[in-house]
Amino acid sequence: MSNIPFLHARDLVKSYGVRRVLDGVSLSGSPGQRIGLVGENGVGKSTLLRILAGAEEPDDGQVQRPADCGFLWQELPFEPSATVQDVLDDALADIRATSARLDELTAALERRPDDEAVLAEYGDLLEWAQDHDMWDADRRAKLVLAGLGLSDVDTSRALGTFSGGQRSRIGLAALLIRQPRAMLLDEPTNHLDDEAVGFLERQLSGLPGTVVVASHDRVFLDEVCTDIVDLDPARGGVTRYGGAYTDYLEAKRLELVRWEQQYAQEQDELKELRVSVEVTAHQVNHQRAIKDNNKIGYDRHGGRVQKQISRRVRNAQQRLDELTRNQVRRPPAPLRFNGAMTGKAGQEQLALSLRDVRLAGRLDIDQLDVSTSSRLMITGPNGAGKSTLLRVLAGQLTPDAGDVHRARGVRVGLLEQDVVFPDLTRSARQLYEKVAGKGAVALSQLGLLASRDLDRPVGELSIGQRRRVALALLIARPPDVLLLDEPTNHLSLSLAEELEDALKAAPGAVVIASHDRWLRRNWEGPELALEAGRVA
């Protein structure tokens, strides 16, 4: 593979069984461009990244990539017995090899200063070294480990002793240390706290190479990306928008308006043309009575009219055929959330209260009150106790000490991060209809699942789709107090915004624990910051 500086994919096609995930997708990235991939879950973002990286082959199409191409694997390509130091040494291997070779070439040039082959190799390696900031690599390694919260990690520890989230951070650190010419990242902000995400944003924004990233973190896309590629169906297929995520949202909105307008106008014209062909073109009055027995003149006039009719019918039919062939297709209806998140708030009252609640090593809350109309955002780093607090409020965890009071008749519902269904053979529709209350919105109308997935066994659904099913079951009979643990995880970006709008309009109480910076940035209500199980 030639060491080209750009990334280029043309007409990629990829199917799994009968399901075509990518259909003629093309994408180009040049040095300095940072491209964000967005779209509904299942449109092929992860598949596209794997194909771009060479981790998977397309059924058709071509990919050109730099020889130096880095991919953030879901699992590190090392044995569990390998150490953190092994990963770091691997990340620095090319830099150290280049440094050693440059020393050799420098010595060779001192002996043969006019050797063109040595000069050419020296120039190429020097350019590579400058692109990869070779002389700052060791300092960069320490900076990256600290920025991703890994500075205290024992580098002699085996990878198998770390959690999946920690291994993911180690893999991300290795990529940032390497600084490949093309970097391909799938959900890189997972398992990172706010400080580490901010560090990652600054690092990616300063890279000289190409970055392609799929992420549900809307603030991250806004801070990092120079372009957004939308894999959702559009008039021209995959669509690329210049600018960051905020720019994309506005451009996408305007594009959809134009598409809907053009579709409506063409459908109106098609209707008029069909009427013209079938009726209007024939409505030319040549059936007047013959005057003065002028049969010859009448026949002559009638012939002209018949030619006129034929011409009008022919023109209308030609336009009808042309427009029928080339008409824009109907804009796809996006999943739009259409459910009530909570029940209607009755008389304002205290719904939940905690007093001196203690759970050994996990939670220590002196006082917390939630009324029937409360809005509360719980924040804090991983392990701060956010999920534990929600489970205590929901009655799923009993504290070691303290009082948990729930008002009589108040229904509490919790959406947990990890969804478990006891029977994976039942479909989403079957599960929903079993718990749906009288007058509940039909599952097909909630906007959480595509119609093709409603009758599939939940065991065949993705993690994100299962979580949507869990949310549907929760609001089938909307609770008075809704507790949400990372509610936007595994939702498409557009559906996340629909959900946020619904939360704002919910009449009952809503308590959310979330890392989603976009959601938190637009939150209207009080916040409770936790650290090590205590109110910070």
Side-chain angles (χ1 to χ4, degrees), residues 5 7 49 125 131 157 172 174 182 259 295 313 335 431 487 517 526:
L7 183 69
L49 285 171
L125 285 181
D131 285 346
R157 266 184 69 182
L172 181 58
W259 188 356
K295 186 175 186 302
V313 171
L335 287 175
L431 293 172
R517 292 179 297 161

Side-chain angles (χ1 to χ4, degrees), residues 121-141:
E121 184 182 356
Y122 184 87
D124 289 342
L125 285 181
L126 187 61
E127 181 183 355
W128 187 96
Q130 290 170 338
D131 285 346
H132 292 75
D133 202 9
M134 185 184 76
W135 293 276
D136 196 39
D138 289 325
R139 189 187 73 86
R140 182 170 69 247

Side-chain angles (χ1 to χ4, degrees), residues 106-153:
T106 299
L109 284 173
E110 289 176 354
R111 296 190 302 271
R112 303 186 304 277
D114 297 327
D115 190 321
E116 293 185 2
V118 174
L119 280 169
E121 184 182 356
Y122 184 87
D124 289 342
L125 285 181
L126 187 61
E127 181 183 355
W128 187 96
Q130 290 170 338
D131 285 346
H132 292 75
D133 202 9
M134 185 184 76
W135 293 276
D136 196 39
D138 289 325
R139 189 187 73 86
R140 182 170 69 247
K142 294 178 182 179
L143 180 70
V144 167
L145 291 174
L148 296 180
L150 297 169
S151 57
D152 295 332
V153 167

Side-chain angles (χ1 to χ4, degrees), residues 163-220:
S163 68
Q166 289 172 317
R167 289 196 299 272
S168 178
R169 279 190 287 154
I170 293 168
L172 181 58
L175 276 182
L176 294 177
I177 292 168
R178 255 182 69 195
Q179 288 197 350
R181 283 193 169 180
M183 192 178 296
L184 308 169
L185 306 172
D186 195 356
E187 299 294 347
T189 62
N190 286 358
H191 315 296
L192 299 183
D193 59 25
D194 286 359
E195 189 173 343
V197 172
F199 172 81
L200 176 61
E201 290 169 351
R202 294 188 294 274
Q203 289 289 301
L204 294 179
S205 297
L207 289 179
T210 305
V211 176
V212 183
V213 57
S215 177
H216 283 81
D217 188 330
R218 291 164 285 179
V219 175
F220 175 79

Side-chain angles (χ1 to χ4, degrees), residues 213-491:
V213 57
S215 177
H216 283 81
D217 188 330
R218 291 164 285 179
V219 175
F220 175 79
L221 293 174
D222 222 26
E223 294 292 331
V224 169
C225 293
T226 61
D227 299 79
I228 299 291
V229 171
D230 191 344
L231 295 178
D232 281 336
R235 279 193 288 181
V238 171
T239 307
R240 184 167 180 157
Y241 299 85
Y245 181 71
T246 300
D247 304 310
Y248 153 76
L249 285 180
E250 180 61 15
K252 176 83 168 178
R253 184 188 66 81
L254 294 175
E255 170 63 21
L256 182 57
V257 168
R258 289 192 293 267
W259 188 356
E260 291 172 341
Q261 289 174 343
Q262 183 177 350
Y263 177 79
Q265 290 168 356
E266 288 188 357
Q267 294 307 304
D268 288 343
E269 185 177 356
L270 283 168
K271 187 182 300 182
E272 292 173 0
L273 287 169
R274 293 187 185 104
V275 172
S276 182
V277 168
E278 296 171 8
V279 180
T280 306
H282 297 280
Q283 291 178 344
V284 178
N285 183 19
H286 63 282
Q287 300 298 326
R288 59 183 176 83
I290 301 175
K291 295 182 179 180
D292 302 325
N293 296 319
N294 188 3
K295 186 175 186 302
I296 294 176
Y298 181 87
D299 288 340
R300 189 186 308 116
H301 178 74
R304 288 198 303 270
V305 171
Q306 283 301 123
K307 290 180 181 178
Q308 184 183 17
I309 293 171
S310 298
R311 185 168 59 252
R312 292 177 64 179
V313 171
R314 185 169 58 254
N315 290 343
Q317 186 66 56
Q318 287 175 348
R319 173 59 180 157
L320 177 60
D321 292 343
E322 178 187 4
L323 188 56
T324 300
R325 285 194 305 270
N326 301 319
Q327 63 179 308
V328 299
R329 58 190 179 87
R330 182 193 297 272
L335 287 175
R336 294 195 179 281
F337 185 76
N338 185 35
M341 300 298 293
T342 67
K344 294 183 179 180
Q347 182 179 359
E348 178 75 7
Q349 61 172 316
L350 188 64
L352 301 171
S353 67
L354 306 184
R355 294 292 184 272
D356 301 319
V357 167
R358 309 285 182 266
L359 197 59
R362 300 171 67 181
L363 201 64
D364 189 343
I365 301 292
D366 292 332
Q367 178 176 337
L368 177 62
D369 292 328
V370 178
S371 73
T372 49
S373 62
S374 285
R375 291 289 186 275
L376 180 62
M377 173 74 72
I378 303 173
T379 64
N382 291 332
K386 301 186 298 297
S387 298
T388 300
L389 175 55
L390 289 181
R391 294 190 67 198
V392 169
L393 289 170
Q396 294 185 3
L397 274 180
T398 301
D400 299 326
D403 295 320
V404 180
H405 174 75
R406 297 177 186 83
R408 180 177 299 177
V410 170
R411 297 180 58 253
V412 180
L414 169 64
L415 177 68
E416 297 188 81
Q417 287 196 56
D418 299 318
V419 175
V420 178
F421 293 97
D423 185 356
L424 297 178
T425 65
R426 298 178 70 82
S427 70
R429 195 193 304 271
Q430 289 172 326
L431 293 172
Y432 184 79
E433 290 177 348
K434 184 177 180 180
V435 300
K438 185 178 180 181
V441 177
L443 179 60
S444 60
Q445 300 300 313
L446 273 182
L448 290 170
L449 286 176
S451 57
R452 64 178 177 273
D453 299 318
L454 296 176
D455 295 304
R456 291 173 59 196
V458 292
E460 296 180 5
L461 300 180
S462 68
I463 294 174
Q465 288 170 323
R466 292 187 197 183
R467 199 146 192 265
R468 296 188 202 186
V469 173
L471 177 59
L473 299 181
L474 187 61
I475 63 176
R477 297 177 61 220
D480 303 300
V481 179
L482 181 63
L483 310 174
L484 300 170
D485 198 353
E486 301 292 351
T488 58
N489 278 8
H490 306 297
L491 294 186

